[in-house]
Amino acid sequence: MTLTLSGSDTNNCNLYLLSKDGVTISPVPREIASKSMYFTIASRADVAIMCSTNGERELKSGNTIIAYIDVNPLNDLPGPTSLSPQFNPIRPNYLSDLQSTNVPSSNTRTIRVNARNINGNAFAGENAPPQFIITADQVYEWSISGATAHPFHVHVNHFQIISGGNTGPTGWTLNGDWMDTLGSSATVRFKTDRFGGKVIMHCHILEHEDNGAMAFFEIDGGCDANYNHYGTSSAPNCVSTCAFNPTTTTTTTTTTTTTTTPSPTTTTSTTTTTTTSSTTSSTTSSTNNCGLNGASCSSNDQCCSNNCKNGGCRGN
């Protein structure tokens, strides 16, 4: 479905794509010159529309009005005049750019989506063998066909467009974009970052899905929904939260003081008094693995914010 910004004064408006299927594009924002948006079944997008003049505009699918956009003046706050400059958002490890990654042939798969099956096999229930088994903490490349007529959706891990997938108006889908629902043939890559277990993939036309266009594969290793180890392969540390867990060291210091005073007698003697005191102190080290990536940090905020830039906090 294509939605287009319409009305008598759309020349004074700009439409910017911000994210697809919940993942911010890079760089962002991306202006769509046609002022149009494209959606396959179950896909999502975040956009920003900026108009320099007041008035009502429409979002249309063909001749059908889907929504009205009413632009009114801001009486008390100044509005932005542009969404420039573009910037590249900071992303966690599982959304790092895979376009230049060397993927071994053993990590490639071909997926064919049809009206009643995937890869020629109709869904046989959750207790059937998986279509294939892959391993946690690896990069995989899939070549997907049939998704133009049968929108393809995979659970758990978003995938990055490497080639193909160029649906919608100019600029709407570019190589490097991340999504989880595909409306055309494409080659995609993704990383099995943390979670293991059975993963559903299916045609998102529900009638087709119900008729057998659904399957599951299995990720060996990784964490299950309760952050317990899954399968037989080695897995990333299964940590449910990004918690700062510093090491506390207790130190006891003993101080001895000796005092000499004259004895209260007529003889020349002295009394020696020895006083011993102990001081206990606790020190907190600044080394913490952030639950995930072995980074050093000195506070919970640093652990769960700054170190996310390096792929931390994936267990959140």
Side-chain angles (χ1 to χ4, degrees), residues 84-157:
S84 298
Q86 291 180 313
F87 67 94
N88 294 310
I90 296 170
R91 287 176 167 167
N93 183 63
Y94 58 87
L95 293 177
S96 59
D97 189 3
L98 304 177
Q99 293 180 88
S100 299
T101 301
N102 183 24
V103 181
S105 59
S106 58
N107 284 11
T108 61
R109 297 287 186 279
T110 297
I111 308 294
R112 299 182 304 278
V113 191
N114 295 293
R116 290 174 173 79
N117 63 73
I118 292 181
N119 288 338
N121 300 307
F123 185 63
E126 62 179 316
N127 295 320
Q131 286 221 357
F132 48 83
I133 299 174
I134 60 179
T135 306
D137 205 27
Q138 297 284 318
V139 175
Y140 289 89
E141 180 176 297
W142 287 4
S143 296
I144 303 169
S145 62
T148 302
H150 307 286
F152 177 78
H153 175 64
V154 63
H155 292 198
V156 181
N157 295 297

Side-chain angles (χ1 to χ4, degrees), residues 57 61 91 100 120 133 144 170 186 194 205 213 256 278 282 310 313:
R57 281 81 171 180
S61 174
R91 287 176 167 167
S100 299
I133 299 174
I144 303 169
T170 301
R194 178 148 304 274
I205 299 175
T256 302
S278 297
S282 296
N310 298 319
C313 300

Side-chain angles (χ1 to χ4, degrees), residues 123 152-156 198-202 209 214-217:
F123 185 63
F152 177 78
H153 175 64
V154 63
H155 292 198
V156 181
K198 297 178 179 179
V199 181
I200 290 290
M201 53 183 175
H202 59 93
E209 179 186 26
M214 180 168 68
F216 71 89
F217 60 98

Side-chain angles (χ1 to χ4, degrees), residues 78-263:
T81 58
S82 72
L83 291 184
S84 298
Q86 291 180 313
F87 67 94
N88 294 310
I90 296 170
R91 287 176 167 167
N93 183 63
Y94 58 87
L95 293 177
S96 59
D97 189 3
L98 304 177
Q99 293 180 88
S100 299
T101 301
N102 183 24
V103 181
S105 59
S106 58
N107 284 11
T108 61
R109 297 287 186 279
T110 297
I111 308 294
R112 299 182 304 278
V113 191
N114 295 293
R116 290 174 173 79
N117 63 73
I118 292 181
N119 288 338
N121 300 307
F123 185 63
E126 62 179 316
N127 295 320
Q131 286 221 357
F132 48 83
I133 299 174
I134 60 179
T135 306
D137 205 27
Q138 297 284 318
V139 175
Y140 289 89
E141 180 176 297
W142 287 4
S143 296
I144 303 169
S145 62
T148 302
H150 307 286
F152 177 78
H153 175 64
V154 63
H155 292 198
V156 181
N157 295 297
H158 284 73
F159 48 78
Q160 186 178 34
I161 298 293
I162 303 302
S163 63
N166 297 319
T167 52
T170 301
W172 186 255
T173 302
L174 300 180
N175 293 347
D177 287 352
W178 288 84
M179 57 186 67
D180 63 17
T181 305
L182 183 66
S184 68
S185 297
T187 297
V188 304
R189 290 177 184 164
F190 64 95
K191 183 176 182 181
T192 51
D193 175 70
R194 178 148 304 274
F195 292 103
K198 297 178 179 179
V199 181
I200 290 290
M201 53 183 175
H202 59 93
C203 170
H204 228 301
I205 299 175
L206 299 185
E207 182 181 359
H208 295 180
E209 179 186 26
D210 291 344
N211 285 330
M214 180 168 68
F216 71 89
F217 60 98
E218 188 171 2
I219 301 176
D220 186 31
C223 313
D224 65 15
N226 296 314
Y227 288 89
N228 298 312
H229 177 72
Y230 180 91
T232 59
S233 297
S234 60
N237 293 328
C238 294
V239 180
S240 60
T241 58
C242 181
F244 177 68
N245 297 312
T247 301
T248 301
T249 303
T250 302
T251 304
T252 302
T253 303
T254 302
T255 304
T256 302
T257 304
T258 302
T259 305
T260 302
T261 58
S263 175

